[in-house]
C-alpha cells in the first residue's frame, strides 16, 4: 500500500513508539499525522526532532509524549511552547535536550546502522550532564577525545510534503529541512501530501524527488496537512490560529481547544480551522490550495 | 499583524543595531543565521546586498533575496532568489570543519563570560521557566570562528553575572543589545561601543555584573542609505520584532 487513508497510516504507529518528526519549527510540520495519532490515542511516545513547534507541543498537551530528543521546541517570534513547557516544569516529560546538530547526528547514526557517532562541538556545555544520549568517546586510532551521540532509530517517521506520487515518491516544495534524514532513519515512514499526482509525473525530473518511494511506507492525501504550520509554496503558517492555540494553552484551555479542533477527522478539521480563511495565510506568488470541500465561496 | 512597535519612526535602536551588525558583517566572507533571528537576518540581507557576504540560512537557502524578510527566519521565503539549497545540518558540518565565519545566536541569558543559556531559568532539576532550548548553539559555539549574540532586552534578568545553565560556551566574541556592544576582552565581555544617547550609568544599572568599559566608541547612527536599504530588504520591519518598545532616535 502506498496511498491509504490517514487513519490507516496512524494505525501503523503504536504505544511506546519512537516517532521522528519532519519539518522544522513552523514549517512543514506533519500536523495532520500528529492530529491522527492524537485522535487514535497513541501514547507513551518518544519524539525526535531537530527543532519543532506545534507538532511536539500538541502531543505534550494531550499527554501522549513521554519523552523527546530535541534541539528546540518553540514558536520562534510567536513565543514559548506552552504545553511542552508545562510538561517539563511539572516533571511529566523526559526532556532529552541536545542541539539540532546532536539530534541530526543521532538520526545519521540510525541511517548508517551504527550504535553511536562522534560529533564535533559541545565543549563546556552543561547539556551532556543532563542527557544520557550525549557522551564522550576516544578515537580508536589517535586516542583523541570527542563528544558522541547514541543512535536513535525511529519506529515511525512522520513527514509532510507538497506532492506525492501513488508509489510514495515525495516532492517537499522548497528546500529539504529534515525530511530526507528523518525518512532514511525511520523503520516505517508515513507521509502526507497536499496532492497525490499522477503516476510517472516525477520521471521527467527525478532529481527533484526529495524522498524516494522505497523509503516511504504509506502516503495519504491531506490538503492543509501542515496547517497551522506552513507548507512552503502552498501556504504560510496561520499566525492567527497559532496565537489562539498558544493563548488557550497558556490559559489552561488546551483541552477545550483539542475538543474543538481534534474531534472528527481532517475534513472536520478543515471545516473548523481553514474554511473561509485561506487568504489570510496564502503563499504569495502561488495559487492558494483549492478550498476544502464545504468552504464558503 | 504588524510587529513594529514604532510605525511612525524612521529610525530606532532596532536600526542602530541592524546597522552595527551589517557594517561588521561586511568584513567577513560568510555568516549563518538560524531560526528566530529576524534582526540578524535583515542585517545579513543588507550586508549581502551591500558587500556580497555569503548568506547561509537555516531555511536551506544560500544568498536568498526575498522581497520581504520573513518574521520566521526558518521560512522558505528566504529561498526566493537563492542560488542554491544548503540544509542546516550541512551548515553545521561546515561549522564543524571550521569554515563558518560568523553565526548569530540568541538566548534567554548571556553572562559576563559570554556563556549563553537557552535552556532553563532556575535549574535543570527545578525549573522556574523551561525555555525552548538552544537550537544548534550548544554544538556550534565552540566550532564557528565567531559567534555574535544579540538581545532585544538589556536587563539584569537577561544579562546576569552567571547564567543559570550553560547551554553553550565558546567563541562568542560580540554581543549586541539595545544599549551597547560588548566584545571579548581577555576572559570576559567588555563594553566597546555605546549606542546614541546611552550613558555608562544606564548600562551599569541594567547589567547583572560589574561592567567593564574598554574605551567605548559611540555607535554611529544609521545613515540614510542604510535606512533605505533596510526598508528595501525588510519592508515589514521584522527587524523591530521582540522589542517591548522603541523610541525614535
Amino acid at each position: 500500500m502506498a496511498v491509504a487513508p490517514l487513519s490507516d497510516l496512524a494505525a501503523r504507529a503504536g504505544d511506546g513508539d519512537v516517532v521522528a518528526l519532519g519539518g522544522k519549527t513552523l514549517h512543514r510540520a506533519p500536523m495532520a499525522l500528529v492530529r491522527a495519532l492524537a485522535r487514535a490515542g497513541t501514547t507513551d511516545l518518544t519524539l525526535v526532532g531537530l527543532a519543532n513547534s506545534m507538532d511536539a507541543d500538541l502531543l505534550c498537551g494531550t499527554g501522549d509524549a513521554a519523552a523527546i530528543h530535541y534541539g528546540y521546541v518553540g514558536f520562534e517570534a510567536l513565543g514559548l511552547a506552552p504545553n511542552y513547557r508545562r510538561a517539563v516544569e511539572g516533571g511529566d516529560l523526559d526532556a532529552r535536550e541536545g542541539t539540532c546538530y546532536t539530534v541530526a547526528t543521532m538520526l545519521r547514526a540510525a541511517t548508517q546502522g551504527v550504535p553511536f557517532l562522534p560529533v564535533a562541538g559541545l565543549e563546556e556545555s552543561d547539556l551532556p550532564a543532563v542527557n544520557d544520549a550525549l557522551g564522550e568517546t576516544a578515537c580508536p586510532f589517535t586516542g583523541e577525545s570527542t563528544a558522541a551521540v547514541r543512535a536513535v532509530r525511529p519506529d515511525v517517521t512522520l513527514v509532510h510534503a507538497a506532492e506525492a506520487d501513488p508509489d510514495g515518491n515525495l516532492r517537499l516544495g522548497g528546500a529539504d529541512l529534515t525530511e530526507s534524514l528523518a525518512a532514511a532513519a525511520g523503520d516505517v515512514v508515513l507521509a502526507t501530501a497536499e496532492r497525490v499526482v499522477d503516476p510517472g509525473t516525477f520521471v521527467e525530473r527525478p532529481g527533484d524527488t526529495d524522498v524516494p518511494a522505497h523509503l516511504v511506507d504509506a502516503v495519504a492525501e491531506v490538503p492543509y496537512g501542515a496547517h497551522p504550520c506552513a507548507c512552503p509554496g502552498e501556504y504560510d503558517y496561520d499566525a492567527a490560529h497559532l496565537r489562539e492555540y498558544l493563548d488557550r494553552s497558556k490559559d489552561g484551555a488546551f483541552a477545550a481547544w483539542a475538543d474543538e479542533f481534534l474531534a472528527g477527522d481532517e475534513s472536520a478539521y478543515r471545516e473548523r480551522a481553514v474554511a473561509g480563511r485561506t487568504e489570510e495565510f496564502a503563499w504569495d506568488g502561488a495559487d492558494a490550495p483549492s478550498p476544502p470541500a464545504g468552504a464558503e465561496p | 499583524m504588524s510587529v513594529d512597535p514604532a510605525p511612525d519612526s524612521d529610525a530606532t535602536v532596532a536600526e542602530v543595531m541592524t546597522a552595527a551588525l551589517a557594517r561588521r558583517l561586511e568584513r567577513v566572507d560568510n555568516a549563518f543565521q538560524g531560526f528566530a533571528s529576524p534582526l540578524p537576518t535583515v542585517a545579513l540581507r543588507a550586508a549581502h546586498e551591500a558587500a556580497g557576504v555569503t548568506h547561509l540560512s537555516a531555511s536551506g537557502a544560500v544568498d536568498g533575496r526575498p522581497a520581504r524578510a520573513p518574521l520566521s527566519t526558518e521560512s522558505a521565503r528566504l529561498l526566493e532568489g537563492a542560488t542554491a539549497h544548503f540544509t542546516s545540518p550541512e551548515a553545521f558540518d561546515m561549522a564543524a570543519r571550521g569554515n563558518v565565519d560568523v553565526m548569530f545566536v540568541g538566548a534567554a541569558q548571556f553572562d559576563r563570560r559570554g556563556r549563553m543559556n537557552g535552556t532553563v531559568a532556575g535549574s535543570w532539576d527545578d525549573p522556574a521557566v523551561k525555555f525552548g532550548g538552544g537550537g544548534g548553539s550548544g554544538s556550534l559555539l565552540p566550532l564557528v570562528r565567531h559567534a555574535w549574540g544579540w538581545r532585544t532586552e538589556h536587563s539584569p534578568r537577561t544579562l546576569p553575572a552567571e547564567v543559570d545553565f550553560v547551554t553553550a560556551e565558546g567563541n562568542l566574541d560580540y554581543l549586541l543589545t539595545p544599549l551597547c556592544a560588548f566584545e571579548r576582552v581577555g576572559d570576559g565581555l567588555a563594553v566597546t561601543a555605546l549606542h546614541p544617547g546611552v550613558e555608562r550609568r544606564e548600562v551599569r544599572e541594567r547589567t547583572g555584573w560589574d561592567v567593564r568599559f574598554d574605551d567605548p566608541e559611540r555607535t554611529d547612527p544609521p545613515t540614510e542609505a542604510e535606512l533605505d536599504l533596510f526598508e528595501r530588504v525588510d519592508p515589514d520591519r521584522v527587524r523591530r520584532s521582540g522589542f517591548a518598545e522603541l523610541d525614535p532616535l
Side-chain angles (χ1 to χ4, degrees):
Chain A
M1 72 149 183
V3 178
L6 180 64
S7 54
D8 288 11
L9 269 59
R12 302 283 296 266
D15 292 350
D17 275 358
V18 176
V19 178
L21 301 165
K24 226 168 146 221
T25 67
L26 302 171
H27 309 278
R28 225 185 279 122
M31 290 306 305
L33 281 158
V34 164
R35 287 189 286 268
L37 291 188
R39 289 184 197 114
T42 315
T43 197
D44 194 27
L45 303 173
T46 293
L47 306 179
V48 184
L50 277 66
N52 295 91
S53 62
M54 187 169 170
D55 41 4
D57 192 72
L58 196 162
L59 291 169
C60 292
T62 60
D64 293 316
I68 180 169
H69 294 279
Y70 67 103
Y72 171 80
V73 180
F75 290 70
E76 295 194 69
L78 302 182
L80 300 176
N83 294 298
Y84 147 89
R85 184 185 156 186
R86 185 181 302 116
V88 178
E89 291 172 10
D92 298 322
L93 181 71
D94 181 5
R96 306 291 188 87
E97 185 164 318
T99 76
C100 301
Y101 199 32
T102 62
V103 176
T105 307
M106 292 170 76
L107 291 168
R108 283 173 170 173
T111 67
Q112 296 170 33
V114 295
F116 76 95
L117 279 176
V119 65
L122 281 179
E123 289 94 340
E124 310 301 334
S125 172
D126 286 343
L127 291 170
V130 299
N131 181 350
D132 65 10
L134 307 178
E136 207 175 317
T137 189
C139 170
F141 307 105
T142 66
E144 184 187 359
S145 178
T146 168
V149 297
R150 178 179 287 193
V152 61
R153 182 166 174 159
D155 298 300
V156 180
T157 287
L158 311 180
V159 298
H160 183 70
E163 293 184 332
D165 75 7
D167 292 328
N169 291 295
L170 306 180
R171 277 186 186 170
L172 299 172
D176 185 288
L177 292 169
T178 56
E179 288 83 359
S180 297
L181 179 59
D187 285 343
V188 171
V189 177
L190 307 174
T192 49
E194 296 293 319
R195 291 176 296 285
V196 173
V197 300
D198 291 337
T201 302
F202 296 170
V203 171
E204 207 168 293
R205 296 198 316 278
D208 291 355
T209 300
D210 294 292
V211 183
H214 65 266
L215 295 180
V216 178
D217 291 88
V219 59
E221 183 176 65
V222 184
Y224 292 97
H227 183 274
C229 296
C231 185
E234 306 287 329
Y235 45 88
D236 210 331
Y237 61 86
D238 180 352
H241 188 104
L242 289 168
R243 286 199 172 92
E244 181 186 342
Y245 169 85
L246 293 171
D247 287 345
R248 291 173 72 175
S249 295
K250 276 185 280 198
D251 293 344
F254 171 81
W257 178 91
D259 285 347
E260 184 176 345
F261 289 104
L262 298 181
D265 59 9
E266 279 296 304
S267 68
Y269 175 81
R270 290 192 293 271
E271 282 281 341
R272 291 183 202 120
V274 176
R277 302 186 46 248
T278 56
E279 286 303 311
E280 289 179 44
F281 41 87
W283 192 267
D284 294 342
D287 294 324
S290 307
E296 296 183 8
Chain B
M1 184 170 140
S2 172
V3 295
D4 183 359
D8 298 327
S9 302
D10 293 336
T12 71
V13 77
E15 284 69 38
V16 172
M17 291 171 66
T18 307
L21 284 182
R23 293 169 195 151
R24 201 173 166 84
L25 277 167
E26 291 187 12
R27 293 179 249 150
V28 308
D29 286 336
N30 67 65
F32 173 73
Q33 52 76 197
F35 53 75
S37 305
L39 189 149
T41 298
V42 172
L44 188 42
R45 280 284 299 116
H48 176 72
E49 296 295 323
V53 179
T54 297
H55 175 174
L56 304 173
S57 168
S59 63
V62 181
D63 292 343
R65 302 182 68 205
R68 324 179 80 81
L71 179 59
S72 163
T73 53
E74 185 80 26
S75 172
R77 294 185 184 285
L78 284 156
L79 295 169
E80 293 170 19
T83 53
H85 291 185
F86 196 72
T87 68
S88 45
E90 289 172 313
F92 302 157
D93 290 339
M94 186 171 154
R97 289 176 51 102
N99 294 334
V100 168
D101 289 335
V102 172
M103 177 181 70
F104 294 104
V105 290
Q109 296 179 325
F110 293 93
D111 72 14
R112 65 191 165 83
R113 290 164 55 188
R115 303 182 302 181
M116 50 179 282
N117 172 20
T119 299
V120 67
S123 68
W124 180 265
D125 290 327
D126 187 17
V129 182
K130 182 68 188 83
F131 303 123
S137 62
S139 289
L140 298 177
L141 221 61
L143 300 174
V144 294
R145 292 190 181 124
H146 306 279
W148 295 355
W150 68 289
R151 275 275 356 192
T152 56
E153 177 186 336
H154 189 134
S155 69
R157 176 177 86 133
T158 60
L159 300 172
E162 306 270 341
V163 288
D164 292 355
F165 183 97
V166 180
T167 307
E169 179 170 356
N171 300 327
L172 187 127
D173 53 20
Y174 182 74
L175 173 62
L176 187 62
T177 80
L179 298 185
C180 63
F182 295 88
E183 291 184 60
R184 182 169 295 280
V185 177
D187 64 352
L189 299 178
V191 173
T192 55
L194 292 164
H195 297 338
V198 176
E199 300 306 325
R200 293 184 184 206
R201 180 182 50 78
E202 188 177 6
V203 175
R204 281 196 198 97
E205 286 172 0
R206 287 170 58 181
T207 306
W209 67 85
D210 187 13
V211 179
R212 271 191 296 157
F213 294 89
D214 188 41
D215 192 18
E217 60 183 32
R218 187 61 71 179
T219 311
D220 284 332
T223 65
E224 286 300 317
E226 286 172 327
L227 291 172
D228 287 348
L229 179 54
F230 301 158
E231 284 291 300
R232 180 157 69 77
V233 301
D234 178 30
D236 296 331
R237 295 180 171 175
V238 301
R239 62 189 180 274
R240 294 183 176 182
S241 73
F243 290 90
E245 55 186 37
L246 284 172
D247 297 322
L249 276 193

